[in-house]
Amino acid sequence: MEIVPSILSANFAHLAKDIKKVENSINYLHIDIMDGQFVENLSFGPMIVSAIRPLTDLKFECHLMVLNPEKYLIKLKEAGANVIGVHVESTAHIHRVIDAIHRLGMEAEIVLNPGTPIALIEPLLDEVESILVMTVDPGAGGQKMIKKCLKKVLTLSELRDMNDYNYRIEIDGGVNKDTIQNAQSMGVDRAVAGSYVFKSDNPSERIATLMKECQKDES
Ligand code: DX5
Ligand code: ZN
């Protein structure tokens, strides 16, 4: 299991400090980009991504909660994004968006809302590096995990085995020390964690706790 901290719950006045606190325990940082339309909140845009790019060598996974995601791809590439997550519900042309992300040299991740079935993305499963299963309705940190969304993880894991697909399976929302073990047993490869990691005096200790919970499951 790999933990991917979401800076949505970090201290925006001290982002550099908060990134340093987790940097040594992880490879990816999750950046939630919200436009106030696809979801109600507004958060970061390419300008913030570019401002924090020089602070760290971590890979940036940008989770786009925006309408018309295609509008932001070039700017995010220029800002230093490595992975782009696109909600299948946010565009009528998901295949074209995935293609554009790849042509820009980034990894593509399809994101599914809790109410969206896997059937909708089945034709694209062999085209992406990652699938992000939302385990809360997107738009805010600190929500409770909707556990039944984990059934999709199980299905994605079976489909991957049956068809030799290569995507990683990631979840986002409500990940903490009480929920991560169950998620891992369903086949999650990566878990985004926001409030559990950053609403703490010791974020790296929180990451270590999540990892430890997962190891318990393996033993
Ligand atoms: C929610 C975001 C998440 C958020 C998760 O819309 O996509 O990445 O930061 O926060 P927690 O881990 O607090 O549920
Ligand atoms: Zn997210």
Side-chain angles (χ1 to χ4, degrees):
M1 175 74 78
E2 185 164 4
I3 307 300
V4 185
S6 160
I7 56 169
L8 190 64
S9 289
N11 182 341
F12 292 173
H14 299 283
L15 266 183
K17 233 163 103 184
D18 274 7
I19 292 170
K20 288 287 158 213
K21 285 184 191 165
V22 294
E23 197 178 37
N24 292 331
S25 351
I26 53 163
N27 300 310
Y28 286 81
L29 210 56
H30 185 87
I31 304 176
D32 287 299
I33 297 187
M34 304 176 179
D35 66 351
Q37 295 187 71
F38 182 70
V39 292
E40 204 176 310
N41 278 329
L42 281 166
S43 60
F44 312 105
M47 286 197 287
I48 303 284
V49 176
S50 141
I52 61 173
R53 185 62 283 181
L55 302 175
T56 177
D57 290 331
L58 290 172
K59 292 202 169 153
F60 286 175
E61 169 180 286
C62 293
H63 172 192
L64 301 193
M65 284 163 272
V66 302
L67 294 182
N68 307 121
E70 52 282 350
K71 280 200 311 201
Y72 303 92
L73 303 180
I74 292 175
K75 283 192 178 135
L76 284 168
K77 170 67 184 177
E78 288 169 354
N82 304 96
V83 183
I84 302 285
V86 184
H87 274 265
V88 66
E89 308 87 1
S90 70
T91 172
H93 306 291
I94 186 81
H95 181 270
R96 187 182 292 160
V97 178
I98 291 167
D99 208 40
I101 294 169
H102 284 152
R103 274 188 282 110
L104 287 166
M106 298 182 285
E107 290 190 5
E109 173 169 79
I110 300 182
V111 193
L112 293 175
N113 274 338
T116 304
I118 289 168
L120 215 59
I121 60 161
E122 228 172 306
L124 304 172
L125 290 177
D126 61 341
E127 295 191 22
V128 289
E129 284 75 23
S130 182
I131 316 281
L132 181 61
V133 174
M134 291 306 299
T135 39
V136 295
D137 286 307
Q143 303 179 75
K144 198 166 169 266
M145 183 182 284
I146 304 166
K147 295 220 175 83
K148 64 180 169 188
C149 297
L150 294 175
K151 279 191 204 146
K152 281 190 258 186
V153 170
L154 206 56
T155 308
L156 283 168
S157 178
E158 285 164 5
L159 284 169
R160 184 172 57 186
D161 286 350
M162 275 170 358
N163 299 287
D164 282 328
Y165 294 143
N166 287 315
Y167 50 76
R168 293 179 302 266
I169 306 171
E170 187 165 5
I171 57 166
D172 185 3
V175 170
N176 58 42
K177 72 171 181 8
D178 300 321
T179 56
I180 196 159
Q181 227 184 60
N182 186 27
Q184 157 152 302
S185 68
M186 299 282 195
V188 172
D189 304 304
R190 277 194 192 165
V192 175
S195 51
Y196 182 73
V197 169
F198 283 111
K199 300 289 183 203
S200 148
D201 293 337
N202 194 341
S204 68
E205 197 175 81
R206 287 284 171 101
I207 294 171
T209 304
L210 291 174
M211 297 299 298
K212 232 181 276 163
E213 285 302 318
C214 293
Q215 280 149 17
K216 270 190 207 166
D217 191 51
E218 280 159 10
S219 59

